[in-house]
């Protein structure tokens, strides 16, 4: 189910950016105004699916039972997360810089970024471009920085729960702390867009994912599951009644789906599920690489193809297909090898002081 959600959300994000960033979509708009309008606006909330899944998997890795955190120092856990996210992101950012330069030779459009400076590149490498006020060099770059912030926040919450509990097991302490952070986000930070470069703005969705993991454990007693589900539903429902936000409604629905699927058996055999798993695996690669690909396809079709809606719609289809192919190649030849190299390096650095 996670791969199915990731695969679907990734396609919507690619199509959203194709519709939002022209110029091909500008020519296609008169032919399909309603579809392009929806993709360019509402489809962007698909990112909430990734936020919820991020919290779900963070809870699984940091404290599977919600009572005992794994024995990892906060700094090491945060460092590992950075080492997983940053190298492929940096590679994709450099490709985006190159794509901007090449596209700028073929067309003039506001989707093309100005040439990147050293400070801007360093800020991207440190995942601080948003908080330092630098323009993103690629669509979706903000999400990688926010994901890192949210994981760091969840590490600190788990660590704090461990410190408060001491040697005693407090089965609900960690979920209560996560629910408190989620509630504060939903009722305050998420209502103020000036916080949208910081983790607290998004922790409502991320916290829903964490609670969904703990509630989805089929080994957990029904009374505990009921308490965890209430911790999910009550704050989110009250927040939506106070001010409805479609992004939060989608996050809540995603968390409920993950919770229900964790407590039931779903057949995952056949070619359809194989395709779903493949698309889920490459979703991060697609997310990282699709913008430079779409930018180059836009430049080619606007420069060399007729500026008719049908031709430009074909260009959008080519950009979508090319994004999937490039995402698969990026996953295989960049993301996976970089991950192996980083894991080997970190294992060597961690083990070295012990061996000495």
């Amino acid at each position: 189910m996670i791969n199915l959600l990731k695969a679907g959300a990734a396609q919507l994000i690619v199509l959203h950016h194709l519709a939002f960033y022209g110029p091909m979509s500008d020519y296609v708009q008169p032919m399909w105004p309603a579809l392009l309008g929806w993709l360019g606006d509402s489809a962007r909330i698909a990112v909430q699916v990734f936020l919820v899944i991020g919290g779900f998997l963070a809870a699984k890795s940091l404290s599977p039972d919600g009572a005992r955190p794994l024995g990892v120092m906060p700094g090491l856990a945060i460092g590992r997360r950075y080492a997983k996210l940053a190298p492929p992101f940096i590679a994709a950012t450099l490709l985006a810089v190159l794509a901007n330069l090449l596209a700028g030779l073929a067309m003039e459009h506001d989707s093309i970024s100005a040439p990147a400076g050293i400070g801007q590149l360093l800020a991207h490498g440190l995942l601080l471009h948003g908080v330092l006020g630098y323009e993103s060099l690629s669509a979706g770059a903000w999400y990688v920085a926010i994901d890192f912030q949210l994981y760091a926040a969840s590490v600190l919450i788990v660590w704090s729960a461990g410190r408060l509990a001491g040697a005693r097991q407090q089965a609900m302490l960690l979920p209560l702390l996560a629910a408190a952070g989620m509630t504060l986000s939903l009722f305050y930070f998420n209502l103020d867009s000036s916080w949208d470069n910081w983790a607290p703005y998004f922790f409502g969705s991320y916290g829903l994912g964490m609670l969904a993991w703990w509630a989805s454990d089929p080994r957990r007693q029904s009374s505990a599951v009921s308490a965890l589900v209430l911790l999910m539903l009550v704050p989110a429902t009250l927040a939506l009644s106070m001010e409805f936000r479609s992004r939060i409604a989608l996050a809540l629905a995603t968390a409920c789906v993950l919770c229900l699927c964790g407590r039931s058996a779903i057949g995952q055999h056949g070619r359809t599920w194989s395709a779903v798993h493949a698309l889920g695996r490459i979703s991060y690669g697609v997310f990282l690489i699709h913008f430079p690909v779409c930018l180059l396809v836009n430049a080619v079709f606007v420069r060399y193809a007729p500026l008719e809606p049908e031709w430009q719609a074909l260009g959008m289809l080519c950009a979508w297909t090319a994004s999937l192919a490039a995402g698969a190649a990026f996953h295989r030849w960049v993301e996976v090898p970089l991950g192996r190299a980083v894991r080997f390096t970190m294992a060597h650095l961690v083990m070295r002081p012990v061996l000495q």
Side-chain angles (χ1 to χ4, degrees):
M1 182 55 65
I2 287 176
N3 278 334
L4 178 62
L5 291 171
K6 286 166 62 177
Q11 308 317 305
L12 285 175
I13 293 298
V14 173
L15 292 172
H16 164 65
H17 288 149
L18 270 173
F20 189 80
Y21 297 101
M24 288 191 299
S25 61
D26 298 336
Y27 295 103
V28 180
Q29 180 75 26
M31 186 167 67
W32 295 322
L35 176 61
L36 269 293
W38 183 83
L39 288 174
D41 183 23
S42 300
R44 71 183 187 277
I45 68 170
V47 75
Q48 297 294 322
V49 173
F50 288 109
L51 290 169
V52 175
I53 291 174
F56 190 86
L57 296 179
K60 175 186 176 183
S61 64
L62 294 172
S63 182
D65 62 0
R68 295 183 301 272
L70 294 181
V72 178
M73 294 299 294
L76 181 59
I78 294 171
R80 286 177 177 172
R81 186 63 177 176
Y82 175 84
K84 180 179 180 179
L85 291 176
F89 171 69
I90 293 170
T93 299
L94 294 176
L95 290 173
V97 171
L98 178 61
N100 272 284
L101 292 175
L102 293 175
L105 299 176
M107 67 176 185
E108 293 183 5
H109 196 266
D110 55 12
S111 60
I112 299 176
S113 301
I118 297 298
Q120 189 177 17
L121 288 172
L122 288 175
H124 276 71
L126 295 173
L127 305 182
L128 294 174
H129 46 283
V131 299
L132 294 179
Y134 285 102
E135 179 187 3
S136 292
L137 293 169
S138 181
W142 66 270
Y143 173 81
V144 183
I146 288 298
D147 181 89
F148 177 65
Q149 287 187 38
L150 288 166
Y151 188 85
S154 65
V155 168
L156 295 178
I157 289 174
V158 171
W159 177 79
S160 298
R163 298 284 290 182
L164 290 172
R168 298 168 298 171
Q169 285 193 28
Q170 299 288 342
M172 291 300 294
L173 177 59
L174 179 53
L176 284 171
L177 289 177
M182 178 194 77
T183 303
L184 187 59
S185 171
L186 293 176
F187 282 89
Y188 179 72
F189 293 107
N190 192 254
L191 296 172
D192 185 354
S193 61
S194 66
W195 282 93
D196 64 2
N197 283 314
W198 298 92
Y201 182 84
F202 300 94
F203 196 80
S205 302
Y206 202 81
L208 282 170
M210 295 179 74
L211 291 169
W213 165 259
W214 293 316
S216 69
D217 187 353
R219 298 167 299 179
R220 195 178 296 276
Q221 294 182 356
S222 58
S223 58
V225 171
S226 299
L228 289 166
V229 170
L230 286 175
L231 287 176
M232 287 171 48
L233 293 178
V234 173
T237 304
L238 290 176
L240 289 172
S241 65
M242 182 178 73
E243 182 171 328
F244 183 81
R245 288 152 279 176
S246 57
R247 60 185 184 273
I248 301 303
L250 177 60
L252 178 59
T254 304
C256 290
V257 167
L258 290 175
C259 181
L260 290 173
C261 290
R263 302 187 64 83
S264 60
I266 300 176
Q268 300 181 30
H269 305 290
R271 293 181 179 179
T272 301
W273 278 108
S274 296
V276 166
H277 293 318
L279 288 171
R281 282 194 299 271
I282 68 171
S283 60
Y284 186 51
V286 172
F287 189 86
L288 290 177
I289 203 66
H290 76 276
F291 182 71
V293 171
C294 292
L295 196 61
L296 291 176
V297 175
N298 262 282
V300 169
F301 268 77
V302 169
R303 180 71 178 267
Y304 299 107
L307 301 180
E308 301 296 330
E310 294 80 8
W311 279 96
Q312 297 303 310
L314 176 63
M316 293 181 70
L317 179 61
C318 289
W320 183 18
T321 305
S323 295
L324 294 178
F330 188 86
H331 172 77
R332 180 174 181 180
W333 301 112
V334 179
E335 186 182 351
V336 172
L338 278 177
R340 289 172 180 164
V342 168
R343 285 194 297 272
F344 175 82
T345 303
M346 290 197 68
H348 179 72
L349 292 176
V350 171
M351 290 300 294
R352 190 174 178 181
V354 176
L355 294 175
Q356 289 177 346

